[in-house]
Amino acid sequence: MRAPSDPIDLHRHGAALRARRPAPLGPASAGPVAIVGAGPGDPELLTVKALRRLEAADVIVHDRLVSGEVLAFARPGAERIYVGKAAGAHAKTQEQINALLLGHARAGRRVVRLKGGDPFVFGRGGEEAEHLRAHGLEVEVVPGITAAAGCAAAAGIPLTHRDHAHAVTLVTGHGTAPEAEPDWAGLARPGQTLVIYMGVATAARTAERLIAHGLAPETPAAVVEKGTTEEQRVLATRLDGLAATVAEAGVRAPAVLVIGAVAAYAEAADRLAEPAVPACAAAL
Ligand SMILES: C[S@@+](CC[C@H](N)C(=O)[O-])C[C@H]1O[C@@H](n2cnc3c(N)ncnc32)[C@H](O)[C@@H]1O
């Protein structure tokens, strides 16, 4: 038996996992399907590999958060299929998406499954890869810049900082049912940065729970809406003002909430962006 400190033989481990998979059902030419991260919005934040897969694709199955500018990199003849999910309004069910990917790959087409940010961060990329592999298809995962990294950088927020934050936690704001509640006490520990995805609607409850579990009400917080795009908005506030800020500014998805000492850098970046001399004085 393996002691906890023994290294895992990944090669053997992988072979054992592969042996458990069902036999391939598709033709020999099927796949690989590329599950590709499109980054947070700015098309220049695509990876070179993502760009190459897009340019070569016959079929691109994409989500709502993938911008038109990114899709424009596809070759003219490529088929683009929108399967986006807005809150409560799904263009296609996950089963339909899985079937679509399988069908096109088995027909011998080069399929790109294009997702906003990184496909393996709150993107169901893991489930889709599992499904495709379980049906005998090869899958290539091309990582992308996830919203936390992209939005924080674009807002001037260092996610870690030797003086302020030694850890970063990515959390979904969707966990509202009692059985899906996050570990609030763990999240409320100081010295870390929280980045909350899909957290606009639950901002009030998030702030209330964190404060109830001991995080100081004056902890800096920031909201980055449509980060890295031309419509980006950055709002700097405090934990106890987060819900009011979100409501008053009418923040809409996609947005991330950044909570922790480093969020104060958002304010500093905003201040630097302001003209040093008021516009009316400059005109004199
Ligand atoms: C379903 S998750 C997908 C996350 C994606 N896979 C990633 O790695 O960024 C959607 C959430 O990501 C966040 N998000 C994605 N792009 C964003 C952007 N450009 N600006 C702000 N938040 C963004 C928002 O919290 C949004 O509700």
Side-chain angles (χ1 to χ4, degrees):
M1 194 172 153
R2 198 177 71 83
S5 57
D6 288 349
I8 298 176
D9 180 342
L10 286 176
H11 189 73
R12 244 190 34 222
H13 194 64
L17 282 177
R18 279 192 295 277
R20 269 192 254 141
R21 282 186 208 135
L25 301 174
S29 64
V33 175
I35 301 184
V36 177
D42 178 352
E44 291 198 60
L45 291 177
L46 269 183
T47 64
V48 175
K49 193 174 262 191
L51 181 62
R52 289 199 174 127
R53 295 300 174 272
L54 263 177
E55 287 172 341
D58 297 315
V59 181
I60 297 163
V61 179
H62 67 94
D63 284 349
R64 187 173 56 95
L65 288 180
V66 175
S67 68
E69 290 150 302
V70 168
L71 286 169
F73 288 122
R75 61 182 185 79
E79 186 180 354
R80 300 171 193 183
I81 305 173
Y82 172 70
V83 294
K85 292 173 198 156
H90 289 193
K92 294 229 183 298
T93 64
Q94 191 60 52
E95 289 68 33
Q96 288 170 327
I97 296 171
N98 290 342
L100 198 64
L101 295 173
L102 269 180
H104 283 292
R106 284 180 174 160
R109 302 190 184 105
R110 278 166 299 196
V111 180
V112 163
R113 173 68 171 114
L114 191 61
K115 289 169 170 285
D118 181 275
F120 276 11
V121 178
F122 301 128
R124 296 209 183 183
E127 291 166 46
E128 290 177 11
E130 207 176 359
H131 182 83
L132 291 166
R133 287 182 177 132
H135 286 79
L137 287 173
E138 260 183 68
V139 175
E140 178 192 30
V141 180
V142 179
I145 296 182
T146 190
C151 295
I157 303 171
L159 287 176
T160 66
H161 190 298
R162 279 200 296 170
D163 298 333
H164 307 297
H166 54 258
V168 185
T169 305
L170 309 185
V171 194
T172 164
H174 275 172
T176 46
E179 64 278 9
E181 286 270 342
D183 168 18
W184 289 112
L187 295 179
R189 244 173 256 131
Q192 61 175 325
T193 306
L194 305 180
V195 184
I196 303 177
Y197 288 61
M198 298 163 281
V200 173
T202 50
R205 179 167 159 73
T206 297
E208 179 265 308
R209 290 284 79 204
L210 289 173
I211 293 169
H213 282 79
L215 196 57
E218 61 273 18
T219 301
V223 182
V224 186
E225 183 188 62
K226 296 188 180 145
T228 82
T229 72
E230 284 176 4
E231 296 168 85
Q232 169 173 296
R233 277 204 296 171
V234 180
L235 307 164
T237 179
R238 302 178 357 159
L239 184 55
D240 56 1
L242 183 62
T245 300
V246 164
E248 281 160 21
V251 174
R252 310 266 311 262
V256 288
L257 316 178
V258 183
I259 299 169
V262 294
Y265 284 88
E267 209 175 3
D270 269 1
R271 245 187 281 120
L272 282 177
E274 283 169 15
V277 184
C280 55
L284 293 176

